[in-house]
Amino acid sequence: MKVYLIAGEPSGDKLGGALMEGLKQLNPNVRFQGVGGPLMEAQGMTSLFPMDELSVMGLAEVLPKLRGLFKRRDETVEDIIGSGADVVVTIDSPDFCLRVLRKLRELSAVPTVHYVAPSVWAWRPKRTERMVGIVDHVMALLPFEPPYMEGAGLPCDFVGHPVVAEPLAEASDASAFRATHGLSDAPVVLTLPGSRRGEVSRLAGIFGESLHKLAAQRPDIRVVIPAAAPVAGLVYEQTRGWPGQPVILDPRGMNPDAALAEKRAAFAAADVALAASGTVSLELAANTVPMVIAYDMNWFSRKLIRAMLQIDTVTLVNLVSETRTVPEFLGDACKPVDIARALEQVLKPGPERSAQAAAAEITMERLGRGDEPPGVRAAKVVARVAGFEDQA
């Protein structure tokens, strides 16, 4: 079986890596081709071009890069046609991936799977219409998503979220991490300003000011920043002058497994987290790290998205657990004074920390913790769609 995969950002690379590992368990002779990041390349794929070229978010941010994205679309379609793939799996990044599939469908009938159902429950509910006729099957990460897809005529399986199958660091790993970085018993604020350049540039100032205000009340805090490789250099630049003697975890040049192990240890050592909105909230929940979510974008994107948003929270832990325990500060509300106040409240023992711990447990259970690994569940769906069900 030959599988062509496309991922456009680090979260998709993580999903793709877990899926590829699952496919290799089903069929050791499976071959891969496509576009991905270091985790997918570690599973045996050489990316057609650097994945970070597709890591663009926000309506206004995409416009200047459209010409390059269309060129990459055409190159990708040509590569798929020449690959002889039995199935094409596109992973999130719908603005790019669906354009690829639309053009591909004009030239080929190869089966297609889209991994990560679009969040039509949150905004732009008609996005499913773009998928009809070009996507043969959808794989959902969240348990409440299949009915939305099936209502539009798109077959969909809930396969669980790979976060529930990721290894967690031990208490001894957390202690070793603290010792290595001279953190002692200080309260550790894990700070995650995003994995895209635009996010880091926009949020670093807000996060830094928030931490300064927190440090005025808690001068003993230490700050740890796990940086994504594509933005690690920018993180160094943007965090100069931050309080808490920041420890930046830079994965560039590191063995991917060693970099992940260090990041897991940092999560285990954290007392609280300040994070950009996104999948990272699930990683924090898996490690039972209390969190505050903050996010902003440019004025134009902010106004458009606010007009289309259909939910009162964007934090996945809040949505999956059906609670609102994680404080979030989005758009106009993304203000350092309020973020700092929430961090201070969550950092100390009390009902806020307890409620977040309970919500994290519910979230992990509903995402499939304790069931068959999501990567294997997803691999079985891909094999079935490709016509290799006997290998699943």
Side-chain angles (χ1 to χ4, degrees):
M1 178 170 61
K2 186 163 190 178
V3 183
Y4 198 102
L5 305 104
I6 306 170
E9 54 189 336
S11 61
D13 182 42
K14 182 179 293 185
L15 291 168
L19 169 61
M20 293 166 72
E21 185 176 5
L23 284 164
K24 288 196 289 188
Q25 290 181 33
L26 298 182
N27 180 353
N29 297 316
V30 66
R31 293 175 295 151
F32 303 113
Q33 194 166 324
V35 179
L39 298 179
M40 294 170 69
E41 291 181 330
Q43 291 294 331
M45 188 184 78
T46 300
S47 186
L48 178 63
F49 53 82
M51 182 191 73
D52 60 355
E53 291 186 20
L54 305 180
S55 296
V56 185
M57 186 175 183
L59 301 174
E61 290 82 351
V62 170
L63 291 176
K65 300 193 175 185
L66 275 178
R67 174 178 286 187
L69 290 172
F70 281 129
K71 179 182 177 182
R72 289 306 195 190
R73 176 203 64 183
D74 295 343
E75 291 175 0
T76 303
V77 170
E78 183 179 352
D79 198 48
I80 294 171
I81 297 295
S83 71
D86 297 298
V87 62
V88 176
V89 182
T90 52
I91 307 171
D92 209 2
S93 301
D95 288 328
F96 179 78
C97 289
L98 296 185
R99 285 188 172 94
V100 168
L101 295 183
R102 186 171 294 109
K103 185 162 187 178
L104 176 65
R105 188 59 90 207
E106 297 172 0
L107 304 170
S108 171
V110 60
T112 58
V113 178
H114 190 65
Y115 194 1
V116 183
S119 51
V120 294
W121 37 268
W123 70 305
R124 292 169 61 194
K126 292 188 177 181
R127 279 178 290 170
T128 51
E129 296 175 3
R130 298 171 55 201
M131 302 171 69
V132 175
I134 62 172
V135 173
D136 296 314
H137 207 95
V138 180
M139 298 192 296
L141 304 185
L142 305 176
F144 53 78
E145 291 180 318
Y148 289 94
M149 299 297 101
E150 292 163 355
L154 293 162
C156 181
D157 283 284
F158 166 60
V159 296
H161 198 292
V163 71
V164 302
E166 291 173 1
L168 302 177
E170 303 287 344
S172 57
D173 300 316
S175 297
F177 180 87
R178 281 178 171 269
T180 297
H181 295 286
L183 302 175
S184 187
D185 295 325
V188 171
V189 183
L190 196 68
T191 307
L192 302 122
S195 59
R196 304 177 182 90
R197 293 189 66 83
E199 288 176 329
V200 174
S201 297
R202 188 168 295 107
L203 294 175
I206 297 170
F207 280 21
E209 189 176 345
S210 301
L211 292 170
H212 273 294
K213 292 184 180 300
L214 176 63
Q217 303 299 319
R218 295 293 303 267
D220 56 338
I221 64 165
R222 294 295 306 276
V223 174
V224 174
I225 311 166
V231 296
L234 182 63
V235 168
Y236 280 105
E237 295 173 13
Q238 295 288 326
T239 59
R240 292 194 186 105
W242 276 22
Q245 301 172 260
V247 174
I248 297 174
L249 306 184
D250 185 350
R252 295 174 299 178
M254 291 184 66
N255 175 281
D257 290 336
L260 282 173
E262 184 178 45
K263 181 180 176 181
R264 285 195 293 267
F267 274 60
D271 294 287
V272 70
L274 171 58
S277 176
T279 309
V280 70
S281 71
L282 298 180
E283 295 181 63
L284 293 167
N287 287 271
T288 323
V289 180
M291 69 194 85
V292 173
I293 300 297
Y295 199 81
D296 198 10
M297 55 191 68
N298 72 57
W299 181 89
F300 180 66
S301 297
R302 184 196 302 168
K303 297 299 181 184
L304 281 177
I305 290 174
R306 180 189 296 164
M308 293 184 281
L309 204 62
Q310 303 181 103
I311 52 178
D312 66 343
T313 179
V314 300
T315 301
L316 290 172
V317 175
N318 287 343
L319 289 165
V320 176
S321 66
E322 297 179 279
T323 69
R324 297 297 181 265
T325 60
V326 176
E328 61 181 24
F329 301 91
L330 313 175
D332 293 334
C334 191
K335 299 185 182 303
V337 64
D338 298 322
I339 294 169
R341 188 179 297 118
L343 282 169
E344 185 180 6
Q345 190 68 31
V346 175
L347 185 56
K348 63 186 180 184
E352 288 82 2
R353 286 181 70 89
S354 298
Q356 285 212 34
E361 182 65 27
I362 293 169
T363 298
M364 291 302 106
E365 180 183 343
R366 291 181 178 177
L367 291 182
R369 178 175 279 174
D371 296 334
E372 190 173 38
V376 174
R377 293 167 67 177
K380 289 182 177 181
V381 173
V382 171
R384 186 176 78 235
V385 174
F388 290 78
E389 189 169 11
D390 60 316
Q391 298 181 18

